[in-house]
Amino acid sequence: MISQDEFSEEWMDGVGEDGGNGWSPPRKKRTSLGEYSQLSLGDSSDTSEPSALDTAQLLPLIMETKLYKRRWLMLFIFSAFSMSNALIWLQYAIISNIFLRFYSIGTLAIDWLSMVFLLTYIPLFLPVTWVLNNRGVREVVVVAAAFNCIGAWIKTGTANPNMFAMTFFGQFVCSVGTIYMGIPSRLASLWFGEQEVSTACSIAVLGTQLGIAIGFLLPPILVPNVDDVEELAYHIRIMFYISAGVATFIFILVVIVFQEKPEIPPTQAQAQARNIPPGDYSYMASISNLLRNKPFMLLVVSYGLNVGSFYSISTLLNRMIIEHYPGEEVNAGRIGLTIVVAGMAGSLICGIWLDRTKTYKQTTLAVYLSSLIGMLIYTFTLYLGHLWVVFVTAGALGFFMTGYLPLGFEFAVELTYPESEGTSSGLLNCSAQIFGIIFTISQGKIIDRWGTFEGNIFLCIFLLIGTALTGLIKSDLRRQKANLQNTEAQSVSEATAAPERAVSPPEVPKEEKF
């Protein structure tokens, strides 16, 4: 005995095959996704029932979809790799005063050990996005994990006061691993259903946030501020070897286990995207379409301002705390940990909220405004002399500022569908890296000349601008419209296909559930 759903699936699978009923849908109607988008249901002024021709056009939209349990494994591996790379990013910045003395260098040189991660991504963005669109996610992740591993091992031999140039080179090699940064939304779309895609993107971003959190926490613990140079070199070497071991394990895991995409797509939107003939896709045309998309370009700038501010705060946090609380290197790391852990909670909550409500613009604007308010509170309480207050205000700032990261990715995908998620996310990250470099250098100079308060006010001004730009974004949720259109198409075709073909499935009695 079979259920109604099973019978309907078998019956619908047979519709369109030229065997038994002599009918097949015209192939010319399936040439591109652009033609699908013309079959709008909600905007038509014709209120009559769909005709046989309408049904024939709609039926090709109904494609098989499936969710695989191993999607969670792919997400975990990607998150683990991004954690490893983010951990290496902040190894120097959070104990910058120690490395300043160890390598006998200036503050700007130490800042560049973090900013090189931002700089490297910018020239690599276009070629990596091309590889992502033409070769796939797996190849990008494997290459990124390889560079991350190689760079980490180079750094193991640089725990010497005369090896700053080599440690910078190792950090540069690791920074090539940042090419993964455009993947979270792409990975979520490839593997997850429409009711969980935002949550999946949030979890993918959590890997980076977890790495930043560990990067804030462990270096001050592993490398104490001691006077003996030999002892300090020993502690630095231990930290580098731990990073290299983790990077190696994750690289092996990526090579052996990580997969490109499931055999059957998870959503109708992905199914349609797969049906676009390769010859119909132009990488440069896609870039051009995105650059001419005004709501998306507003998001690119506002996203860059927010995330660039976060990068600057992360890089300069040690200097901010030490200025007001001398000798508190360990607590500086703990404050950074508080910022990121609160942000991880914010990311997850925002992702779940988006999956349930689909209120992309409203949520993004609310979180952005809250980031501005949090930054103002943090700025005006940092110098009060109470560390517990700094912990609280930094946590509130992190909840919204780092919680914003996945919101930007998912909002961008909605505004730009059916363009590649990797391309839109890449442009967002490129903007964030550019603003991150500008803000880090500028805020560092302001702190050196005037102080931490003025440096933080500098960021508040740009967060205010970003909030205003976010409010100007027109909410055009194209991916949601595509999924809704397919759902409506399936309902209409199921209701009309049987009479048009004189094929009526027999009534199946409902089974009682015991």
Side-chain angles (χ1 to χ4, degrees):
M1 190 172 187
I2 61 175
S3 68
Q4 180 70 45
D5 290 339
E6 290 171 341
F7 181 88
S8 299
E9 288 178 6
E10 293 176 6
W11 178 68
M12 289 304 297
D13 285 343
V15 174
E17 296 180 2
D18 191 10
N21 57 12
W23 180 88
S24 61
R27 289 285 178 184
K28 293 182 180 179
K29 296 296 182 183
R30 304 183 58 176
T31 55
S32 72
L33 184 58
E35 293 189 29
Y36 287 137
S37 65
Q38 295 172 5
L39 302 176
S40 176
L41 294 174
D43 298 333
S44 175
S45 58
D46 184 5
T47 58
S48 61
E49 291 296 323
S51 65
L53 179 59
D54 293 331
T55 303
Q57 290 176 325
L58 290 170
L59 278 173
L61 289 168
I62 306 169
M63 305 172 192
E64 183 182 4
T65 59
K66 182 178 180 180
L67 293 177
Y68 294 82
K69 291 182 179 179
R70 67 177 182 270
R71 68 190 186 278
W72 298 106
L73 178 61
M74 303 303 116
L75 188 61
F76 169 78
I77 294 173
F78 175 80
S79 297
F81 159 64
S82 59
M83 175 206 70
S84 169
N85 187 256
L87 163 64
I88 292 173
W89 169 42
L90 287 174
Q91 277 182 331
Y92 301 92
I94 196 59
I95 49 174
S96 59
N97 60 318
I98 296 176
F99 279 106
L100 281 172
R101 179 166 53 87
F102 183 75
Y103 286 119
S104 300
I105 53 175
T107 56
L108 185 60
I110 282 292
D111 291 344
W112 270 111
L113 285 169
S114 297
M115 289 192 293
V116 68
F117 271 62
L118 311 181
L119 181 64
T120 303
Y121 182 85
I122 297 171
L124 291 178
F125 156 64
L126 287 176
V128 167
T129 304
W130 184 90
V131 173
L132 183 62
N133 292 332
N134 290 273
R135 302 298 295 272
V137 171
R138 174 178 161 79
E139 291 197 16
V140 174
V141 175
V142 169
V143 170
F147 273 95
N148 191 56
C149 179
I150 294 169
W153 281 106
I154 290 174
K155 288 167 58 175
T156 58
T158 65
N160 185 295
N162 300 318
M163 298 289 286
F164 175 75
M166 186 56 68
T167 204
F168 189 90
F169 175 71
Q171 189 78 339
F172 166 73
V173 174
C174 290
S175 72
V176 178
T178 59
I179 59 177
Y180 77 87
M181 294 183 67
I183 291 178
S185 57
R186 174 73 169 168
L187 182 70
S189 295
L190 285 174
W191 283 93
F192 289 84
E194 60 184 280
Q195 297 302 320
E196 57 189 14
V197 65
S198 297
T199 303
C201 183
S202 299
I203 295 173
V205 174
L206 283 182
T208 300
Q209 295 175 330
L210 180 60
I212 295 172
I214 297 173
F216 278 133
L217 179 66
L218 286 186
I221 296 174
L222 295 174
V223 185
N225 191 4
V226 297
D227 294 328
D228 187 274
V229 175
E230 291 298 324
E231 182 182 355
L232 189 58
Y234 169 77
H235 291 300
I236 292 173
R237 191 177 299 111
I238 292 297
M239 180 179 70
F240 286 161
Y241 270 109
I242 291 174
S243 301
V246 172
T248 302
F249 172 75
I250 292 174
F251 171 65
I252 295 172
L253 197 63
V254 167
V255 171
I256 296 176
V257 181
F258 192 78
Q259 296 177 358
E260 170 65 26
K261 61 184 177 182
E263 293 81 4
I264 301 173
T267 63
Q268 291 293 328
Q270 270 298 306
Q272 286 189 11
R274 288 193 187 186
N275 276 1
I276 300 177
D280 287 359
Y281 176 79
S282 169
Y283 174 62
M284 295 311 298
S286 177
I287 294 288
S288 177
N289 290 339
L290 291 176
L291 294 178
R292 288 185 285 107
N293 185 328
K294 292 182 180 179
F296 173 67
M297 292 310 298
L298 286 172
L299 179 63
V300 167
V301 176
S302 62
Y303 182 90
L305 293 173
N306 188 300
V307 181
S309 299
F310 170 68
Y311 288 159
S312 181
I313 292 170
S314 300
T315 303
L316 302 175
L317 182 63
N318 175 270
R319 291 164 63 182
M320 294 183 194
I321 301 301
I322 296 301
E323 178 181 328
H324 297 288
Y325 306 92
E328 295 288 354
E329 292 89 359
V330 174
N331 274 323
R334 290 171 179 167
I335 290 170
L337 174 69
T338 302
I339 291 174
V340 180
V341 170
M344 292 168 65
S347 294
L348 196 56
I349 291 172
C350 289
I352 295 172
W353 174 260
L354 283 185
D355 278 329
R356 294 189 177 184
T357 66
K358 307 301 181 185
T359 54
Y360 288 86
K361 178 180 176 178
Q362 297 91 323
T363 304
T364 302
L365 181 58
V367 171
Y368 210 121
L369 179 60
S370 300
S371 298
L372 170 60
I373 296 172
M375 186 65 196
L376 286 169
I377 296 173
Y378 171 78
T379 298
F380 283 93
T381 57
L382 180 60
Y383 61 89
L384 294 181
H386 302 289
L387 265 177
W388 69 268
V389 174
V390 180
F391 273 94
V392 173
T393 57
L397 172 64
F399 182 87
F400 296 107
M401 182 170 279
T402 59
Y404 173 81
L405 297 175
L407 290 178
F409 284 146
E410 283 300 291
F411 196 16
V413 173
E414 292 293 336
L415 293 174
T416 60
Y417 180 85
E419 305 298 342
S420 169
E421 298 90 345
T423 307
S424 60
S425 298
L427 283 170
L428 290 181
N429 283 318
C430 194
S431 172
Q433 315 301 65
I434 293 172
F435 281 113
I437 293 172
I438 295 172
F439 289 169
T440 302
I441 294 175
S442 301
Q443 189 183 16
K445 295 291 185 181
I446 293 172
I447 290 174
D448 290 339
R449 184 165 182 178
W450 289 290
T452 300
F453 178 83
E454 289 78 4
N456 287 335
I457 289 295
F458 167 79
L459 294 184
C460 290
I461 293 171
F462 286 98
L463 287 174
L464 176 62
I465 295 172
T467 303
L469 292 177
T470 302
L472 296 176
I473 297 174
K474 179 183 178 182
S475 184
D476 181 16
L477 307 182
R478 300 181 181 183
R479 183 174 62 179
Q480 292 304 314
K481 289 179 181 178
N483 284 322
L484 179 61
Q485 177 177 307
N486 280 285
T487 301
E488 293 176 347
Q490 184 171 1
S491 300
V492 171
S493 59
E494 286 178 352
T496 61
E500 294 290 343
R501 296 173 180 76
V503 177
S504 299
E507 182 179 353
V508 180
K510 296 182 179 179
E511 294 187 46
E512 294 184 6
K513 295 182 180 180
F514 294 94

